Amino acid sequence: MSVARERLALIVSEFTDLDSREKLELLLDFSNNLAVLPPEHALLASRSEHRVHECQTPVYLQIELDANQKVHLFADIAPEAPTVKGFVAILAGAFDGCSCDEILGMQSNLLEQMGLADVLGILRSRGLRAIQEYIKREIVRAIEKQTLTKERAMRENA
Amino acid sequence: MANNYVNDEVLVSTQWVAEHLNDPKVRIIESNEDRAIYTQGHIPGAVELDWQVDLQDQTRRDYIDRASFEKLVGSRGIDNNTTVVIYGDKNNWWACYAFWVFKLFGHADCRIMNGGRKRWQLDGREWSSDRVDYPLTSYTAQEQDGSIRSFREQVLKHQQSGKSLVDVRSPEEYCGDRRHMPEYPDEGALRGGHIPGAVNVPWSMAVNDDGTFKSARELTQLYQKTIRLKRHSPIVAYCRIGERSSLTWFVLTYLLGFSKVKNYDGSWLEWGNCVGVPIVKGTSPNGQTAEIPQIAAPI
């Protein structure tokens, strides 16, 4: 099993057997643990570019690929949206340091697995699934950007 | 303290709520855009009602039916004589939405806590994250009150006879530049614009920065003097899914004493997707009219 899948399976098992209230409490724990970005982080400087437009509350996400093509996810989400914040914290923790292919190959049925889809309702769940899809699109964009940069460097060195 | 609203008693202050936390005749209800906010901390003793999961049918696009409402309300320890006080985030949008549903099923004594969560927080009052459970009660709801709800066929007739329509969305949504709220997702209306004849009075014009409603004088000035809505003429209010217009419906009906206001909960997510209904774009009520083909049966 891949790293991200293994991490998410562990989280899913934490949610299993909880009642609705406990699921929301656990989600809040994740929400409280979302890493606070350092003020110099690029995401905070150019927020509008990283806005997730599919999402109801202001959500800012940034994908970075390191030299080994591993994914790192940074997020800035208002405290008024703890549900979104908790879900993004789960994804950020699970995806950190994983390969692009691994994340791109994942299904978006996490909410159902955690039993959160029914607790949150149709519209909110749709918003959260859209975030997961947004992350995938941003990964594809980051790969393209990295490829272009490499090609340009090669041309310049040729 | 009297606020001089027509129905002063339906709007209670945070102070009033703080004094009735242990009153067995009063049940405090929180309703928010984000469910986890209640879990994080609520007014001590308040129960939660979620607009999506509790108040809406999960299969049909509609509110829950009468039997489900009876079961839901009974599960929160509310009986037919309970004074229900509702509050929430986002300027009490969802609180007004829940208030409207309680009135739809005929609950007698409903109130809104002026300023909602924001005012409670600004007043430095206590939050609790305790689980709240009350003994089950038996509750009898009435048949839906058709005098406060409008369906699309009725809205079409209302529009065709030139009666008042209030579009409470943002000016950008009204004129057709966008099909959803600024900063909110596009939930799939195929057309942008407004119902011909509708005046644009964004919901936010009725509230202050601290989440409370504007004064009776300011609201009268806006709705009756500037917009010239008549207190006893039929009026339909709508927005995108019926939540912001619940707030305007509440203001007109309870704070200003209008007698014939209906909420069109289908709102733009229905109208903007209907085949053959009239739509105009632009900033004026009758805007730049799009060509509407003449058909025998409009809907």
Side-chain angles (χ1 to χ4, degrees), chain B residues 84-299:
Chain B
V84 162
V85 180
I86 317 175
Y87 75 100
D89 64 353
K90 299 260 172 181
N91 287 96
N92 277 330
W93 280 357
W94 307 106
C96 289
Y97 187 89
F99 183 107
W100 184 83
V101 178
F102 268 86
K103 285 297 178 189
L104 187 67
F105 288 108
H107 190 81
D109 191 357
C110 303
R111 326 267 179 114
I112 291 285
M113 184 180 86
N114 201 8
R117 283 189 67 97
K118 194 170 185 182
R119 193 64 252 172
W120 187 267
Q121 176 73 28
L122 287 170
D123 290 348
R125 297 184 191 276
E126 180 195 358
W127 296 111
S128 159
S129 55
D130 292 348
R131 278 187 181 230
V132 181
D133 275 311
Y134 294 101
L136 289 182
T137 52
S138 167
Y139 186 90
T140 309
Q142 308 299 309
E143 286 298 337
Q144 284 198 17
D145 178 359
S147 74
I148 64 169
R149 185 177 194 189
S150 213
F151 293 97
R152 69 171 188 273
E153 292 83 356
Q154 297 163 332
V155 177
L156 187 67
K157 280 190 193 137
H158 184 93
Q159 184 274 330
Q160 285 168 339
S161 56
K163 292 173 181 161
S164 294
L165 279 151
V166 183
D167 183 322
V168 315
R169 296 172 301 159
S170 62
E172 295 88 345
E173 293 169 275
Y174 177 82
C175 73
D177 286 352
R178 55 165 66 230
R179 287 166 288 148
H180 52 103
M181 269 191 274
E183 306 200 336
Y184 273 60
D186 184 347
E187 284 169 330
L190 290 171
R191 289 289 185 271
H194 57 269
I195 302 176
V199 289
N200 185 211
V201 192
W203 68 276
S204 55
M205 295 175 81
V207 298
N208 297 310
D209 287 344
D210 69 350
T212 57
F213 290 104
K214 289 205 165 146
S215 69
R217 196 177 51 80
E218 289 168 310
L219 293 175
T220 305
Q221 181 65 40
L222 172 64
Y223 292 103
Q224 289 170 255
K225 299 203 173 133
T226 309
I227 306 297
R228 295 170 185 274
L229 293 176
K230 302 265 185 305
R231 275 182 67 195
H232 300 295
S233 297
I235 296 169
V236 169
Y238 72 92
C239 59
R240 183 187 51 120
I241 55 169
E243 90 288 22
R244 289 174 284 176
S245 49
S246 303
L247 184 141
T248 302
W249 166 84
F250 174 80
V251 168
L252 293 175
T253 304
Y254 288 92
L255 304 186
L256 295 178
F258 281 55
S259 58
K260 290 180 190 160
V261 186
K262 291 186 182 191
N263 188 21
Y264 170 36
D265 58 275
S267 275
W268 200 256
L269 272 195
E270 177 172 72
W271 198 270
N273 285 319
C274 279
V275 176
V277 297
I279 290 175
V280 289
K281 285 177 175 287
T283 52
S284 70
N286 289 308
Q288 287 169 278
T289 312
E291 223 23 67
I292 307 290
Q294 292 300 310
I295 45 176
I299 296 178

Side-chain angles (χ1 to χ4, degrees), chain A residues 19 21 51 83 119 123-124, chain B residues 33-35 50 129 131:
Chain A
D19 66 20
R21 164 81 189 203
R51 173 83 198 256
T83 295
V119 176
L123 292 177
R124 295 189 189 102
Chain B
E33 186 161 290
D34 189 317
R35 271 203 95 167
D50 185 58
S129 55
R131 278 187 181 230

Side-chain angles (χ1 to χ4, degrees), chain A residues 111-138:
Chain A
L111 287 171
E112 284 76 11
Q113 290 180 330
M114 293 192 291
L116 271 174
D118 289 342
V119 176
L120 297 175
I122 298 163
L123 292 177
R124 295 189 189 102
S125 297
R126 197 165 64 195
L128 296 183
R129 277 185 215 105
I131 291 180
Q132 211 174 332
E133 292 306 313
Y134 176 90
I135 292 170
K136 289 183 180 176
R137 282 203 309 277
E138 285 301 296

Side-chain angles (χ1 to χ4, degrees), chain A residues 17-123:
Chain A
D17 298 332
L18 299 184
D19 66 20
S20 302
R21 164 81 189 203
E22 290 164 339
K23 284 183 201 294
L24 288 170
E25 284 168 351
L26 183 56
L27 192 62
L28 279 174
D29 288 345
F30 281 103
S31 161
N32 293 333
N33 291 330
L34 181 67
V36 178
L37 295 178
E40 67 275 14
H41 196 277
L43 173 56
L44 298 176
S46 57
R47 284 158 67 96
S48 61
E49 184 190 333
H50 301 292
R51 173 83 198 256
V52 184
H53 290 287
E54 292 85 345
C55 196
Q56 188 142 325
T57 35
V59 171
Y60 302 93
L61 288 179
Q62 189 181 3
I63 301 293
E64 282 180 15
L65 297 185
D66 63 22
N68 300 317
Q69 289 249 316
K70 302 290 186 196
V71 173
H72 302 282
L73 174 61
F74 300 95
D76 185 30
I77 299 162
E80 295 78 44
T83 295
V84 180
K85 210 172 160 188
F87 186 69
V88 169
I90 288 171
L91 297 183
F95 293 168
D96 191 62
C98 292
S99 73
C100 298
D101 285 347
E102 189 183 340
I103 298 168
L104 292 176
M106 291 185 73
Q107 289 184 329
S108 299
N109 61 349
L110 186 57
L111 287 171
E112 284 76 11
Q113 290 180 330
M114 293 192 291
L116 271 174
D118 289 342
V119 176
L120 297 175
I122 298 163
L123 292 177

